[in-house]
Amino acid sequence: MIYKPTLAYRVWSDDNNVWAEDKSYICPMGTLYFWERDYIEPARGNYTIEQCTGQKDKNGKMIYEGDILRGEETGDYGETLSIWHGVVMLNEEKHRLMIKDDIGDWYELDDFMFEDLAGNIHDNPELLEVAK
C-alpha cells in the first residue's frame, strides 16, 4: 500500500455565499468534485478552497486559510499592551501560509500562541476592517 498524505481543507461557494457541504473531494490534478449519492460530480460554479494549517487556537479550534486571528501583546505583569488582528493567507513570495497583520507585516504561524479565532473572511467580513 502506498501512503498518500491528505490535506484538510474547507470549501466556500463564492456563488451562493455558503460553506459547501463536507462532501467534497480534490483529485490529484486539483479538480474539485462533490459526492452525489453513488458517484462524484465535478464542481460547477466558483469555489474557494482553503487549506487547514494543522494548528489550533487556544480554544482548540483548527485554523484555516482565510481565518482572522486575534492576539494580544502583554507586558511583564500580564497587562494588555496591544490587541492585533491578522488574516491567515498565502505569502506568495515565501510560498506558504502565514499571518498578515493589521499593518501588513507577515508572521510565521508557529511564532506565537494565538489568543483566539475571531472569525473568517467569508462569515465575518466586518472583521477585515479591524484587521486593516
Side-chain angles (χ1 to χ4, degrees):
M1 176 188 267
I2 298 173
Y3 171 74
K4 295 182 181 178
T6 59
L7 294 174
Y9 61 91
R10 63 185 181 191
V11 179
W12 174 260
S13 171
D14 296 320
D15 297 331
N16 299 320
N17 291 325
V18 296
W19 292 106
E21 291 185 36
D22 194 24
K23 298 179 182 178
S24 60
Y25 166 74
I26 301 173
C27 78
M29 297 300 289
T31 304
L32 178 65
Y33 290 89
F34 289 102
W35 292 102
E36 298 292 337
R37 298 190 184 150
D38 297 334
Y39 60 94
I40 59 173
E41 184 76 27
R44 291 183 172 80
N46 298 302
Y47 294 91
T48 300
I49 300 169
E50 297 173 335
Q51 183 178 342
C52 181
T53 66
Q55 296 186 359
K56 297 179 181 181
D57 74 350
K58 74 174 188 179
N59 299 312
K61 294 181 185 174
M62 291 302 288
I63 298 172
Y64 287 82
E65 183 178 5
D67 281 342
I68 301 171
L69 305 174
R70 177 189 173 279
E72 276 185 25
E73 181 182 355
T74 56
D76 294 336
Y77 303 102
E79 74 276 17
T80 301
L81 299 176
S82 66
I83 296 174
W84 59 266
H85 288 83
V87 179
V88 178
M89 54 195 309
L90 178 66
N91 181 321
E92 293 186 17
E93 185 178 297
K94 295 194 176 190
H95 306 288
R96 63 178 170 265
L97 293 176
M98 297 180 73
I99 301 167
K100 188 173 185 181
D101 73 4
D102 319 55
I103 59 174
D105 292 332
W106 290 94
Y107 296 92
E108 296 290 342
L109 284 163
D110 55 358
D111 279 351
F112 43 86
M113 178 62 177
F114 309 111
E115 288 301 312
D116 68 318
L117 182 57
N120 65 66
I121 61 174
H122 306 290
D123 293 326
N124 313 100
E126 70 279 4
L127 293 175
L128 290 175
E129 293 304 314
V130 175
K132 286 184 181 176

